[in-house]
């Protein structure tokens, strides 16, 4: 009888202890992860360490000049960094890494791989941020669409870049993109969803 009572007491304690232990573990993980992340408010106010597309500074109504790209890393190194970020679940780093990968492919002259990397950068930036990296990728996709003669797609990409620049607090970039849109006859009052 005593063994049955002891067993029931242990089972009752386990029923209470296991969820309590899981709750404490989740709280500890949440606090550890939160302490590793920079303050979102301060990151929106400070310049982004990610490479951002060069400012649009029109030299003529339909032409823009860009600053030289940042240092281009080895393609294999970037693929390794992307795999590591995916393995760690660091989705906010992916947009910038894919953007860097697009620059590397551009340097190598691989247009298809560049566009694929830009689309990945835009997708991850849209879903996970940071807004500046999302905007840079959308801006580059818009420029590529315009060069290909697809002004509708260019306008859509510029619209998303304009919104992302505004969300990132980069009002100068936002105004430059808006000016570019007006110069190319893009509607500036679109409401885009599900991109």
């Amino acid at each position: 009888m005593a063994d049955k009572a002891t067993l029931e007491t242990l089972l009752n304690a386990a029923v209470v202890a296991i969820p309590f232990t899981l709750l404490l573990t989740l709280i500890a993980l949440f606090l550890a992860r939160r302490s590793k992340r920079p303050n979102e408010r301060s990151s929106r106010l400070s310049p982004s360490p990610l490479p951002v597309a060069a400012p649009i500074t029109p030299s003529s109504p339909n032409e823009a000049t860009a600053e030289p790209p940042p240092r281009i890393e080895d393609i294999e190194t970037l693929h390794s960094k992307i795999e590591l970020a995916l393995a760690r679940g660091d989705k906010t780093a992916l947009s910038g890494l894919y953007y860097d990968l697009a620059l590397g492919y551009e340097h190598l002259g691989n247009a298809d791989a560049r566009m694929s990397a830009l689309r990945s950068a835009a997708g991850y930036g849209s879903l996970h941020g940071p807004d500046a990296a999302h905007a840079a990728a959308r801006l580059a996709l818009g420029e590529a669409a315009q060069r290909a003669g697809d002004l509708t797609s260019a306008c859509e990409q510029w619209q998303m870049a304009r919104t992302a620049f505004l969300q990132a607090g980069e009002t100068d970039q936002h105004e430059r993109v808006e000016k570019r849109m007006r110069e190319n006859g893009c509607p500036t009052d679109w409401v885009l969803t599900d991109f």
Side-chain angles (χ1 to χ4, degrees), residues 159 162-163 178 181-182 185-192:
Q159 169 68 19
R162 180 183 76 152
T163 302
E178 188 166 310
M181 291 173 68
R182 282 192 306 269
C186 300
T188 57
D189 58 349
W190 284 355
V191 176
L192 300 176

Side-chain angles (χ1 to χ4, degrees), residues 88-132:
R88 289 189 328 224
D90 185 8
K91 294 181 179 175
T92 57
L94 290 171
S95 183
L97 289 170
Y98 275 111
Y99 186 81
D100 288 345
L101 186 62
L103 292 175
Y105 282 129
E106 181 178 29
H107 182 69
L108 294 175
N110 189 338
D112 291 337
R114 174 184 180 261
M115 293 305 293
S116 177
L118 281 175
R119 285 189 292 275
S120 294
Y124 277 108
S126 173
L127 294 172
H128 308 290
D131 292 323

Side-chain angles (χ1 to χ4, degrees), residues 4-14:
K4 188 176 181 182
T6 304
L7 183 60
E8 285 181 17
T9 305
L10 286 175
L11 287 175
N12 287 336

Side-chain angles (χ1 to χ4, degrees), residues 22-79:
L22 286 174
L23 180 63
L24 287 177
T25 304
L26 288 174
I27 291 171
L29 288 173
F30 174 76
L31 292 175
R33 184 171 180 171
R34 187 175 178 143
S35 68
K36 287 182 183 179
R37 267 196 274 173
N39 184 343
E40 287 183 10
R41 179 179 165 87
S42 66
S43 66
R44 286 186 181 172
L45 298 177
S46 64
S48 171
L50 294 171
V52 176
I56 297 177
T57 52
S59 56
S60 69
N62 291 323
E63 195 173 318
T65 58
E67 296 173 2
R71 183 180 71 81
I72 298 171
E73 291 188 65
D74 184 278
I75 298 297
E76 290 82 24
T77 302
L78 288 166
H79 278 290

Side-chain angles (χ1 to χ4, degrees), residues 147-160:
R147 281 192 302 274
D150 185 356
L151 189 58
T152 300
S153 293
C155 289
E156 291 171 352
Q157 296 295 339
W158 290 334
Q159 169 68 19
M160 289 181 275

